[in-house]
Amino acid sequence: QKSYVKAYLKLHTQARLGVTEDQEKTRLLNDNRLLILRKLSKIAILPHAQLDDFDYRLNQWQSCFELTEYDLTTQTICPHCGFKPIAEAQHPPALTTLVQLNKTLRILHTDWTQTLLTELEQVAPQRELLKPDSRVLLETFLTRRTLPDNLSPEFIEAVQECLSGLFKITLNIKELHNILSAGGSPITVQEMQKRLADYLNQLTTGKELNKIRIVLE
């Protein structure tokens, strides 16, 4: 009986988080780097599977620090978490795994930051097509080379828009004037609208309208 209790307690300690390990898991779950990655996961180019794997590896750990030797004098398994050694795969010590996960989180945060920097640097013309506020957010990120601690929805939207494949269409003012004033005689509002619509349709045929940005020159 004593040898069983000793062996069971050892396996239980390896398979469950104690007080210290539980606190470390909570710290990781609330780590700002992880919160940032969750927000960034909305961006299509980032490898979401890496974050899914991290979440799985972290959340598979169950906490239980109430088991005592006395519990095992009346029961053969932990009455608090129901741990059954034969039914669960053996893991490295919990603290070792949590240390590895902390390192993984640091690597993910660094790699995702670098990926965004690289991708945004390659689409400088598209950055110029953003609204001023969105452009400032991205230029600040590119200058500082680090993600803001408080990642706003506006930042995520700016990145998504910039990387969506924006297409610039230049609208020549003189050409537009000639088209709208063709004939030189007065026209109705409906006629003016039709001329403008026909001209824009001519410029944008075959292109995704939501990705077009018109620049007047």
PDB file of all heavy atoms in Angstrom, residues 60-88:
ATOM      1  N   GLN A  60      -3.980  21.964 -21.549  1.00  0.00           N
ATOM      2  CA  GLN A  60      -4.138  20.548 -21.230  1.00  0.00           C
ATOM      3  C   GLN A  60      -3.735  20.250 -19.777  1.00  0.00           C
ATOM      4  O   GLN A  60      -4.075  19.195 -19.247  1.00  0.00           O
ATOM      5  CB  GLN A  60      -3.308  19.696 -22.182  1.00  0.00           C
ATOM      6  CG  GLN A  60      -1.811  19.785 -21.965  1.00  0.00           C
ATOM      7  CD  GLN A  60      -1.031  18.833 -22.850  1.00  0.00           C
ATOM      8  OE1 GLN A  60      -1.566  17.819 -23.284  1.00  0.00           O
ATOM      9  NE2 GLN A  60       0.221  19.149 -23.123  1.00  0.00           N
ATOM     10  N   TRP A  61      -3.023  21.190 -19.166  1.00  0.00           N
ATOM     11  CA  TRP A  61      -2.591  20.978 -17.783  1.00  0.00           C
ATOM     12  C   TRP A  61      -3.706  21.304 -16.807  1.00  0.00           C
ATOM     13  O   TRP A  61      -4.267  22.390 -16.816  1.00  0.00           O
ATOM     14  CB  TRP A  61      -1.370  21.848 -17.484  1.00  0.00           C
ATOM     15  CG  TRP A  61      -0.119  21.327 -18.108  1.00  0.00           C
ATOM     16  CD1 TRP A  61       0.439  21.717 -19.285  1.00  0.00           C
ATOM     17  CD2 TRP A  61       0.719  20.284 -17.594  1.00  0.00           C
ATOM     18  NE1 TRP A  61       1.571  20.990 -19.549  1.00  0.00           N
ATOM     19  CE2 TRP A  61       1.771  20.114 -18.534  1.00  0.00           C
ATOM     20  CE3 TRP A  61       0.694  19.493 -16.449  1.00  0.00           C
ATOM     21  CZ2 TRP A  61       2.785  19.172 -18.347  1.00  0.00           C
ATOM     22  CZ3 TRP A  61       1.700  18.554 -16.274  1.00  0.00           C
ATOM     23  CH2 TRP A  61       2.728  18.401 -17.203  1.00  0.00           C
ATOM     24  N   GLN A  62      -4.021  20.328 -15.970  1.00  0.00           N
ATOM     25  CA  GLN A  62      -5.062  20.477 -14.961  1.00  0.00           C
ATOM     26  C   GLN A  62      -4.412  20.707 -13.600  1.00  0.00           C
ATOM     27  O   GLN A  62      -3.403  20.095 -13.266  1.00  0.00           O
ATOM     28  CB  GLN A  62      -5.936  19.212 -14.918  1.00  0.00           C
ATOM     29  CG  GLN A  62      -7.092  19.285 -13.931  1.00  0.00           C
ATOM     30  CD  GLN A  62      -7.927  18.015 -13.980  1.00  0.00           C
ATOM     31  OE1 GLN A  62      -7.831  17.228 -14.922  1.00  0.00           O
ATOM     32  NE2 GLN A  62      -8.745  17.801 -12.962  1.00  0.00           N
ATOM     33  N   SER A  63      -4.988  21.594 -12.830  1.00  0.00           N
ATOM     34  CA  SER A  63      -4.447  21.888 -11.501  1.00  0.00           C
ATOM     35  C   SER A  63      -5.087  20.992 -10.445  1.00  0.00           C
ATOM     36  O   SER A  63      -6.290  20.722 -10.489  1.00  0.00           O
ATOM     37  CB  SER A  63      -4.690  23.360 -11.132  1.00  0.00           C
ATOM     38  OG  SER A  63      -4.048  24.213 -12.055  1.00  0.00           O
ATOM     39  N   CYS A  64      -4.276  20.534  -9.530  1.00  0.00           N
ATOM     40  CA  CYS A  64      -4.780  19.786  -8.370  1.00  0.00           C
ATOM     41  C   CYS A  64      -3.676  19.750  -7.316  1.00  0.00           C
ATOM     42  O   CYS A  64      -2.642  19.113  -7.524  1.00  0.00           O
ATOM     43  CB  CYS A  64      -5.192  18.364  -8.756  1.00  0.00           C
ATOM     44  SG  CYS A  64      -5.860  17.412  -7.348  1.00  0.00           S
ATOM     45  N   PHE A  65      -3.905  20.442  -6.211  1.00  0.00           N
ATOM     46  CA  PHE A  65      -2.891  20.466  -5.148  1.00  0.00           C
ATOM     47  C   PHE A  65      -3.514  20.161  -3.782  1.00  0.00           C
ATOM     48  O   PHE A  65      -3.063  20.627  -2.755  1.00  0.00           O
ATOM     49  CB  PHE A  65      -2.160  21.811  -5.122  1.00  0.00           C
ATOM     50  CG  PHE A  65      -3.022  23.003  -5.488  1.00  0.00           C
ATOM     51  CD1 PHE A  65      -3.842  23.612  -4.564  1.00  0.00           C
ATOM     52  CD2 PHE A  65      -2.981  23.486  -6.780  1.00  0.00           C
ATOM     53  CE1 PHE A  65      -4.620  24.694  -4.907  1.00  0.00           C
ATOM     54  CE2 PHE A  65      -3.770  24.587  -7.139  1.00  0.00           C
ATOM     55  CZ  PHE A  65      -4.582  25.197  -6.194  1.00  0.00           C
ATOM     56  N   GLU A  66      -4.590  19.378  -3.812  1.00  0.00           N
ATOM     57  CA  GLU A  66      -5.284  19.044  -2.572  1.00  0.00           C
ATOM     58  C   GLU A  66      -5.063  17.594  -2.135  1.00  0.00           C
ATOM     59  O   GLU A  66      -5.410  17.209  -1.011  1.00  0.00           O
ATOM     60  CB  GLU A  66      -6.787  19.301  -2.734  1.00  0.00           C
ATOM     61  CG  GLU A  66      -7.130  20.757  -3.064  1.00  0.00           C
ATOM     62  CD  GLU A  66      -8.621  20.941  -3.282  1.00  0.00           C
ATOM     63  OE1 GLU A  66      -9.388  20.010  -2.945  1.00  0.00           O
ATOM     64  OE2 GLU A  66      -9.022  21.991  -3.792  1.00  0.00           O
ATOM     65  N   LEU A  67      -4.477  16.790  -3.015  1.00  0.00           N
ATOM     66  CA  LEU A  67      -4.313  15.367  -2.704  1.00  0.00           C
ATOM     67  C   LEU A  67      -3.322  15.167  -1.549  1.00  0.00           C
ATOM     68  O   LEU A  67      -2.253  15.774  -1.509  1.00  0.00           O
ATOM     69  CB  LEU A  67      -3.808  14.619  -3.936  1.00  0.00           C
ATOM     70  CG  LEU A  67      -3.561  13.110  -3.757  1.00  0.00           C
ATOM     71  CD1 LEU A  67      -4.855  12.376  -3.443  1.00  0.00           C
ATOM     72  CD2 LEU A  67      -2.892  12.538  -5.009  1.00  0.00           C
ATOM     73  N   THR A  68      -3.699  14.294  -0.607  1.00  0.00           N
ATOM     74  CA  THR A  68      -2.822  13.936   0.517  1.00  0.00           C
ATOM     75  C   THR A  68      -2.683  12.417   0.583  1.00  0.00           C
ATOM     76  O   THR A  68      -3.456  11.677  -0.032  1.00  0.00           O
ATOM     77  CB  THR A  68      -3.403  14.442   1.851  1.00  0.00           C
ATOM     78  OG1 THR A  68      -4.648  13.746   2.103  1.00  0.00           O
ATOM     79  CG2 THR A  68      -3.655  15.941   1.807  1.00  0.00           C
ATOM     80  N   GLU A  69      -1.693  11.979   1.340  1.00  0.00           N
ATOM     81  CA  GLU A  69      -1.521  10.539   1.530  1.00  0.00           C
ATOM     82  C   GLU A  69      -2.755   9.936   2.196  1.00  0.00           C
ATOM     83  O   GLU A  69      -3.135   8.794   1.909  1.00  0.00           O
ATOM     84  CB  GLU A  69      -0.280  10.267   2.391  1.00  0.00           C
ATOM     85  CG  GLU A  69       1.026  10.540   1.676  1.00  0.00           C
ATOM     86  CD  GLU A  69       2.216  10.045   2.489  1.00  0.00           C
ATOM     87  OE1 GLU A  69       2.025   9.171   3.363  1.00  0.00           O
ATOM     88  OE2 GLU A  69       3.339  10.535   2.243  1.00  0.00           O
ATOM     89  N   TYR A  70      -3.376  10.685   3.073  1.00  0.00           N
ATOM     90  CA  TYR A  70      -4.563  10.183   3.765  1.00  0.00           C
ATOM     91  C   TYR A  70      -5.689   9.871   2.770  1.00  0.00           C
ATOM     92  O   TYR A  70      -6.410   8.879   2.943  1.00  0.00           O
ATOM     93  CB  TYR A  70      -5.048  11.206   4.788  1.00  0.00           C
ATOM     94  CG  TYR A  70      -6.309  10.770   5.505  1.00  0.00           C
ATOM     95  CD1 TYR A  70      -6.265   9.811   6.532  1.00  0.00           C
ATOM     96  CD2 TYR A  70      -7.552  11.286   5.142  1.00  0.00           C
ATOM     97  CE1 TYR A  70      -7.429   9.386   7.165  1.00  0.00           C
ATOM     98  CE2 TYR A  70      -8.712  10.874   5.770  1.00  0.00           C
ATOM     99  CZ  TYR A  70      -8.640   9.917   6.791  1.00  0.00           C
ATOM    100  OH  TYR A  70      -9.792   9.516   7.416  1.00  0.00           O
ATOM    101  N   ASP A  71      -5.840  10.722   1.731  1.00  0.00           N
ATOM    102  CA  ASP A  71      -6.870  10.473   0.717  1.00  0.00           C
ATOM    103  C   ASP A  71      -6.713   9.083   0.109  1.00  0.00           C
ATOM    104  O   ASP A  71      -7.700   8.396  -0.175  1.00  0.00           O
ATOM    105  CB  ASP A  71      -6.795  11.521  -0.398  1.00  0.00           C
ATOM    106  CG  ASP A  71      -7.218  12.900   0.066  1.00  0.00           C
ATOM    107  OD1 ASP A  71      -8.122  12.996   0.907  1.00  0.00           O
ATOM    108  OD2 ASP A  71      -6.629  13.884  -0.424  1.00  0.00           O
ATOM    109  N   LEU A  72      -5.462   8.659  -0.069  1.00  0.00           N
ATOM    110  CA  LEU A  72      -5.190   7.392  -0.748  1.00  0.00           C
ATOM    111  C   LEU A  72      -5.266   6.190   0.186  1.00  0.00           C
ATOM    112  O   LEU A  72      -5.091   5.053  -0.256  1.00  0.00           O
ATOM    113  CB  LEU A  72      -3.811   7.455  -1.409  1.00  0.00           C
ATOM    114  CG  LEU A  72      -3.684   8.505  -2.533  1.00  0.00           C
ATOM    115  CD1 LEU A  72      -2.259   8.551  -3.057  1.00  0.00           C
ATOM    116  CD2 LEU A  72      -4.662   8.230  -3.675  1.00  0.00           C
ATOM    117  N   THR A  73      -5.541   6.439   1.451  1.00  0.00           N
ATOM    118  CA  THR A  73      -5.756   5.306   2.363  1.00  0.00           C
ATOM    119  C   THR A  73      -7.157   4.754   2.226  1.00  0.00           C
ATOM    120  O   THR A  73      -7.431   3.614   2.593  1.00  0.00           O
ATOM    121  CB  THR A  73      -5.518   5.736   3.826  1.00  0.00           C
ATOM    122  OG1 THR A  73      -6.458   6.765   4.172  1.00  0.00           O
ATOM    123  CG2 THR A  73      -4.100   6.230   4.026  1.00  0.00           C
ATOM    124  N   THR A  74      -8.048   5.574   1.688  1.00  0.00           N
ATOM    125  CA  THR A  74      -9.441   5.137   1.523  1.00  0.00           C
ATOM    126  C   THR A  74      -9.862   5.023   0.061  1.00  0.00           C
ATOM    127  O   THR A  74     -10.889   4.430  -0.250  1.00  0.00           O
ATOM    128  CB  THR A  74     -10.392   6.125   2.228  1.00  0.00           C
ATOM    129  OG1 THR A  74     -10.174   7.443   1.685  1.00  0.00           O
ATOM    130  CG2 THR A  74     -10.131   6.144   3.725  1.00  0.00           C
ATOM    131  N   GLN A  75      -9.064   5.600  -0.825  1.00  0.00           N
ATOM    132  CA  GLN A  75      -9.396   5.555  -2.247  1.00  0.00           C
ATOM    133  C   GLN A  75      -8.130   5.250  -3.044  1.00  0.00           C
ATOM    134  O   GLN A  75      -7.026   5.543  -2.610  1.00  0.00           O
ATOM    135  CB  GLN A  75      -9.993   6.892  -2.712  1.00  0.00           C
ATOM    136  CG  GLN A  75     -11.250   7.281  -1.917  1.00  0.00           C
ATOM    137  CD  GLN A  75     -11.915   8.522  -2.486  1.00  0.00           C
ATOM    138  OE1 GLN A  75     -12.270   8.561  -3.661  1.00  0.00           O
ATOM    139  NE2 GLN A  75     -12.090   9.534  -1.644  1.00  0.00           N
ATOM    140  N   THR A  76      -8.330   4.721  -4.235  1.00  0.00           N
ATOM    141  CA  THR A  76      -7.169   4.341  -5.046  1.00  0.00           C
ATOM    142  C   THR A  76      -6.803   5.420  -6.073  1.00  0.00           C
ATOM    143  O   THR A  76      -5.744   5.338  -6.696  1.00  0.00           O
ATOM    144  CB  THR A  76      -7.448   3.035  -5.804  1.00  0.00           C
ATOM    145  OG1 THR A  76      -8.635   3.201  -6.610  1.00  0.00           O
ATOM    146  CG2 THR A  76      -7.645   1.890  -4.818  1.00  0.00           C
ATOM    147  N   ILE A  77      -7.687   6.380  -6.255  1.00  0.00           N
ATOM    148  CA  ILE A  77      -7.380   7.494  -7.159  1.00  0.00           C
ATOM    149  C   ILE A  77      -7.685   8.807  -6.451  1.00  0.00           C
ATOM    150  O   ILE A  77      -8.376   8.830  -5.420  1.00  0.00           O
ATOM    151  CB  ILE A  77      -8.189   7.418  -8.475  1.00  0.00           C
ATOM    152  CG1 ILE A  77      -9.688   7.556  -8.186  1.00  0.00           C
ATOM    153  CG2 ILE A  77      -7.892   6.131  -9.220  1.00  0.00           C
ATOM    154  CD1 ILE A  77     -10.527   7.672  -9.451  1.00  0.00           C
ATOM    155  N   CYS A  78      -7.171   9.890  -6.985  1.00  0.00           N
ATOM    156  CA  CYS A  78      -7.362  11.205  -6.370  1.00  0.00           C
ATOM    157  C   CYS A  78      -8.843  11.571  -6.358  1.00  0.00           C
ATOM    158  O   CYS A  78      -9.490  11.607  -7.411  1.00  0.00           O
ATOM    159  CB  CYS A  78      -6.576  12.263  -7.144  1.00  0.00           C
ATOM    160  SG  CYS A  78      -6.832  13.943  -6.525  1.00  0.00           S
ATOM    161  N   PRO A  79      -9.411  11.850  -5.181  1.00  0.00           N
ATOM    162  CA  PRO A  79     -10.825  12.202  -5.098  1.00  0.00           C
ATOM    163  C   PRO A  79     -11.114  13.618  -5.590  1.00  0.00           C
ATOM    164  O   PRO A  79     -12.271  14.004  -5.763  1.00  0.00           O
ATOM    165  CB  PRO A  79     -11.125  12.083  -3.602  1.00  0.00           C
ATOM    166  CG  PRO A  79      -9.818  12.376  -2.939  1.00  0.00           C
ATOM    167  CD  PRO A  79      -8.772  11.790  -3.853  1.00  0.00           C
ATOM    168  N   HIS A  80     -10.058  14.398  -5.843  1.00  0.00           N
ATOM    169  CA  HIS A  80     -10.241  15.795  -6.245  1.00  0.00           C
ATOM    170  C   HIS A  80     -10.215  15.987  -7.763  1.00  0.00           C
ATOM    171  O   HIS A  80     -10.933  16.837  -8.290  1.00  0.00           O
ATOM    172  CB  HIS A  80      -9.151  16.663  -5.597  1.00  0.00           C
ATOM    173  CG  HIS A  80      -9.006  16.438  -4.131  1.00  0.00           C
ATOM    174  ND1 HIS A  80      -9.937  16.863  -3.215  1.00  0.00           N
ATOM    175  CD2 HIS A  80      -8.032  15.796  -3.411  1.00  0.00           C
ATOM    176  CE1 HIS A  80      -9.554  16.509  -1.995  1.00  0.00           C
ATOM    177  NE2 HIS A  80      -8.404  15.858  -2.083  1.00  0.00           N
ATOM    178  N   CYS A  81      -9.404  15.192  -8.460  1.00  0.00           N
ATOM    179  CA  CYS A  81      -9.309  15.362  -9.923  1.00  0.00           C
ATOM    180  C   CYS A  81      -9.500  14.049 -10.683  1.00  0.00           C
ATOM    181  O   CYS A  81      -9.560  14.057 -11.907  1.00  0.00           O
ATOM    182  CB  CYS A  81      -7.966  15.987 -10.301  1.00  0.00           C
ATOM    183  SG  CYS A  81      -6.535  14.891 -10.043  1.00  0.00           S
ATOM    184  N   GLY A  82      -9.569  12.932  -9.964  1.00  0.00           N
ATOM    185  CA  GLY A  82      -9.809  11.643 -10.608  1.00  0.00           C
ATOM    186  C   GLY A  82      -8.648  11.147 -11.452  1.00  0.00           C
ATOM    187  O   GLY A  82      -8.861  10.394 -12.404  1.00  0.00           O
ATOM    188  N   PHE A  83      -7.436  11.538 -11.124  1.00  0.00           N
ATOM    189  CA  PHE A  83      -6.272  11.145 -11.907  1.00  0.00           C
ATOM    190  C   PHE A  83      -6.108   9.630 -11.941  1.00  0.00           C
ATOM    191  O   PHE A  83      -6.068   8.969 -10.924  1.00  0.00           O
ATOM    192  CB  PHE A  83      -5.008  11.786 -11.312  1.00  0.00           C
ATOM    193  CG  PHE A  83      -3.730  11.281 -11.911  1.00  0.00           C
ATOM    194  CD1 PHE A  83      -3.466  11.453 -13.269  1.00  0.00           C
ATOM    195  CD2 PHE A  83      -2.781  10.636 -11.125  1.00  0.00           C
ATOM    196  CE1 PHE A  83      -2.280  10.993 -13.827  1.00  0.00           C
ATOM    197  CE2 PHE A  83      -1.597  10.176 -11.671  1.00  0.00           C
ATOM    198  CZ  PHE A  83      -1.343  10.352 -13.030  1.00  0.00           C
ATOM    199  N   LYS A  84      -6.022   9.095 -13.172  1.00  0.00           N
ATOM    200  CA  LYS A  84      -5.790   7.670 -13.380  1.00  0.00           C
ATOM    201  C   LYS A  84      -4.527   7.516 -14.239  1.00  0.00           C
ATOM    202  O   LYS A  84      -4.553   7.801 -15.436  1.00  0.00           O
ATOM    203  CB  LYS A  84      -6.979   7.016 -14.082  1.00  0.00           C
ATOM    204  CG  LYS A  84      -8.263   7.033 -13.261  1.00  0.00           C
ATOM    205  CD  LYS A  84      -9.398   6.376 -14.041  1.00  0.00           C
ATOM    206  CE  LYS A  84     -10.688   6.380 -13.224  1.00  0.00           C
ATOM    207  NZ  LYS A  84     -11.824   5.761 -13.969  1.00  0.00           N
ATOM    208  N   PRO A  85      -3.424   7.099 -13.640  1.00  0.00           N
ATOM    209  CA  PRO A  85      -2.152   7.008 -14.370  1.00  0.00           C
ATOM    210  C   PRO A  85      -2.240   6.203 -15.657  1.00  0.00           C
ATOM    211  O   PRO A  85      -1.662   6.578 -16.678  1.00  0.00           O
ATOM    212  CB  PRO A  85      -1.224   6.330 -13.360  1.00  0.00           C
ATOM    213  CG  PRO A  85      -1.796   6.674 -12.029  1.00  0.00           C
ATOM    214  CD  PRO A  85      -3.284   6.700 -12.233  1.00  0.00           C
ATOM    215  N   ILE A  86      -2.995   5.120 -15.644  1.00  0.00           N
ATOM    216  CA  ILE A  86      -3.054   4.246 -16.814  1.00  0.00           C
ATOM    217  C   ILE A  86      -3.814   4.900 -17.967  1.00  0.00           C
ATOM    218  O   ILE A  86      -3.652   4.526 -19.127  1.00  0.00           O
ATOM    219  CB  ILE A  86      -3.704   2.893 -16.436  1.00  0.00           C
ATOM    220  CG1 ILE A  86      -3.408   1.866 -17.527  1.00  0.00           C
ATOM    221  CG2 ILE A  86      -5.210   3.056 -16.226  1.00  0.00           C
ATOM    222  CD1 ILE A  86      -3.838   0.461 -17.154  1.00  0.00           C
ATOM    223  N   ALA A  87      -4.656   5.897 -17.644  1.00  0.00           N
ATOM    224  CA  ALA A  87      -5.506   6.508 -18.676  1.00  0.00           C
ATOM    225  C   ALA A  87      -4.905   7.783 -19.251  1.00  0.00           C
ATOM    226  O   ALA A  87      -5.436   8.339 -20.213  1.00  0.00           O
ATOM    227  CB  ALA A  87      -6.887   6.809 -18.095  1.00  0.00           C
ATOM    228  N   GLU A  88      -3.814   8.257 -18.663  1.00  0.00           N
ATOM    229  CA  GLU A  88      -3.234   9.518 -19.114  1.00  0.00           C
ATOM    230  C   GLU A  88      -1.791   9.328 -19.543  1.00  0.00           C
ATOM    231  O   GLU A  88      -1.051   8.556 -18.934  1.00  0.00           O
ATOM    232  CB  GLU A  88      -3.310  10.576 -17.999  1.00  0.00           C
ATOM    233  CG  GLU A  88      -4.730  10.919 -17.594  1.00  0.00           C
ATOM    234  CD  GLU A  88      -4.783  12.117 -16.648  1.00  0.00           C
ATOM    235  OE1 GLU A  88      -3.846  12.937 -16.687  1.00  0.00           O
ATOM    236  OE2 GLU A  88      -5.754  12.221 -15.881  1.00  0.00           O
TER     237      GLU A  88
END
